[in-house]
Amino acid sequence: MPCVPYLIALAVLVIELTPAHFIYTGPFLTAVPALAAVTLGPRGTTAAAVLALAISVVTATHNGAWGTLQVYSNFLALALVSVAGFITSRAMQERRQKELDQVRRIAVAAQEVVLRPVPARLGPLRAGSLCLAAGTGARVGGDLYEAVQTRYGVRMIVGDVRGKGLSAVRAVAVALGAFREAVHYEDDLVEVMNRCAAALRREVAVPGAFGQEVLLEGFTTALIAQVPDEPVVQLVNRGHPPPLLLHRGRAAPLMPGLPSPPLGLEDLVTDLPEKPETYPFTPGDRLLLYTDGVIEARNRDGEFFALREAVEEMGVGPAPPEFLEQLHQALNRHTGDDLADDVAMILVDRFDCLPQSPPGESEAG
């Protein structure tokens, strides 16, 4: 326990300052930096060594022990143990950091296999994507996104699987696999969402497919958007934060008319959307799809990130990749480079209403 070195130091101080102390406690002080090296790291070891040294000086002065061999032997032992503890603690910290960095690289590589970058051009759209991992250890998040050009138009998905780790990554892979397959064959956008939900239900039904916490509490928020040839965007929202539409310098959330539960919680309601909701999406407009890690990012004062204001401030000037990078920098400034949750975003601009190129040509490019 981290407090043990300080408890030992306090016990030594109390015993030594007792008028009739019953034991010579000087050697016990060497345990203070030694234990701190194991539990508190290099800085904690240094602080514990300084504390032990200060207590040695105080007790030697109080007991009038200066000039005795015991005092100088105690100081020498304390110095040797402190130096050895600091070196050992530093080496342990560096080794743990290397191991953590390696695990993070493996986790990021695994996630990049599942999440591929969005093409810069999709029919009448310019597009960009961004995925940021939270700075909390090596946990792999459950954020997902994809954009595909089909014969029905450009179809996009953004979602967030509850939980972390490999079970969340597996759920992401299942949902994206169902989406990538269904978007090319299902003309009904609601049915595309239903295919994703069905795929997740099938996977959960397999014994040992997910962790126990996912089996009992798991759900996935998801938003599917479709941009056809017409100047509109169609949305199916299942418990996900509404996208932002930037139109003539003003950003507005596209709120669903009928709130629907996330995937995996369909049994809680009786009415689900039967058709997508349609909103104007004209040339010059900008649409931002994102996960809740963006709007729930907090600063040190506990204030949420003001996404609408940030989007309006940046406007439609920067291209989608540059826009998302600027948004990334704004998030870093707000949180002090300490994101508490993963972030995934897709940004698309509608710059014309010309017929889309064939799906095979766009996907090949």
Side-chain angles (χ1 to χ4, degrees):
M1 295 176 60
C3 62
V4 171
Y6 297 104
L7 292 177
I8 294 176
L10 179 62
V12 169
L13 184 63
V14 171
I15 293 174
E16 285 292 327
L17 296 183
T18 300
H21 60 272
F22 58 91
I23 189 173
Y24 175 62
T25 59
F28 290 100
L29 287 175
T30 59
V32 173
L35 292 174
V38 178
T39 58
L40 300 178
R43 292 184 178 180
T45 302
T46 302
V50 172
L51 176 63
L53 178 62
I55 292 176
S56 295
V57 172
V58 170
T59 56
T61 303
H62 177 76
N63 296 321
W66 289 106
T68 64
L69 292 178
Q70 285 182 330
V71 169
Y72 296 120
S73 298
N74 182 47
F75 276 114
L76 179 60
L78 185 59
L80 291 176
V81 172
S82 298
V83 172
F86 179 84
I87 294 174
T88 302
S89 179
R90 186 68 176 269
M92 291 172 58
Q93 185 184 58
E94 292 178 352
R95 183 170 65 252
R96 285 195 297 265
Q97 186 62 44
K98 289 180 180 179
E99 293 174 351
L100 181 59
D101 290 341
Q102 183 178 9
V103 173
R104 282 175 174 166
R105 287 193 295 268
I106 295 173
V108 171
Q111 201 162 24
E112 288 179 349
V113 170
V114 179
L115 300 176
R116 56 197 183 196
V118 170
R121 171 72 183 266
L122 289 165
L125 305 179
R126 294 183 304 175
S129 60
L130 180 67
C131 186
L132 304 173
T136 52
R139 297 182 303 171
V140 182
D143 287 5
L144 61 96
Y145 68 86
E146 180 62 291
V148 181
Q149 187 175 357
T150 72
R151 55 182 172 174
Y152 309 108
V154 178
R155 289 178 162 180
M156 300 167 283
I157 184 173
V158 172
D160 187 1
V161 177
R162 176 184 173 89
K164 298 283 185 180
L166 294 179
S167 59
V169 174
R170 186 176 298 175
V172 167
V174 170
L176 286 180
F179 174 80
R180 289 165 178 163
E181 177 73 15
V183 289
H184 293 288
Y185 301 104
E186 295 289 347
D187 59 349
D188 186 352
L189 204 61
V190 173
E191 188 58 32
V192 175
M193 182 70 81
N194 292 339
R195 291 276 293 272
C196 295
L200 288 170
R201 286 196 299 271
R202 288 195 302 270
E203 189 69 13
V204 170
V206 177
F210 296 120
Q212 188 65 23
E213 75 283 356
V214 177
L215 282 170
L216 296 176
E217 304 176 4
F219 60 84
T220 301
T221 66
L223 172 74
I224 294 181
Q226 175 175 287
V227 181
D229 292 338
E230 296 78 17
V232 297
V233 59
Q234 298 170 321
L235 302 177
V236 177
N237 193 335
R238 293 290 297 274
H240 198 77
L244 281 182
L245 177 66
L246 184 62
H247 175 72
R248 296 183 178 179
R250 302 293 296 177
L254 303 182
M255 302 296 296
L258 176 63
S260 301
L263 306 182
L265 301 180
E266 295 88 352
D267 294 339
L268 300 180
V269 299
T270 56
D271 295 328
L272 290 174
E274 297 182 355
K275 62 180 181 178
E277 298 180 283
T278 303
Y279 303 87
F281 187 40
T282 57
D285 288 351
R286 172 164 281 179
L287 184 68
L288 177 65
L289 286 67
Y290 56 91
T291 56
D292 59 6
V294 179
I295 54 176
E296 293 180 359
R298 297 173 181 261
N299 59 14
R300 294 182 178 179
D301 297 327
E303 299 171 337
F304 291 111
F305 180 65
L307 179 60
R308 290 179 61 178
E309 288 78 359
V311 169
E312 290 177 350
E313 182 179 351
M314 287 182 282
V316 295
E322 288 74 20
F323 181 96
L324 292 178
E325 181 56 33
Q326 292 181 20
L327 196 55
H328 176 199
Q329 297 302 324
L331 272 171
N332 284 341
R333 289 192 299 269
H334 181 76
T335 62
D337 294 326
D338 186 21
L339 282 174
D341 195 6
D342 295 338
V343 165
M345 293 183 281
I346 294 180
L347 181 73
V348 292
D349 290 345
R350 183 147 206 169
F351 58 89
D352 61 36
C353 283
L354 298 177
Q356 301 178 18
S357 56
E361 177 182 342
S362 173
E363 294 167 2

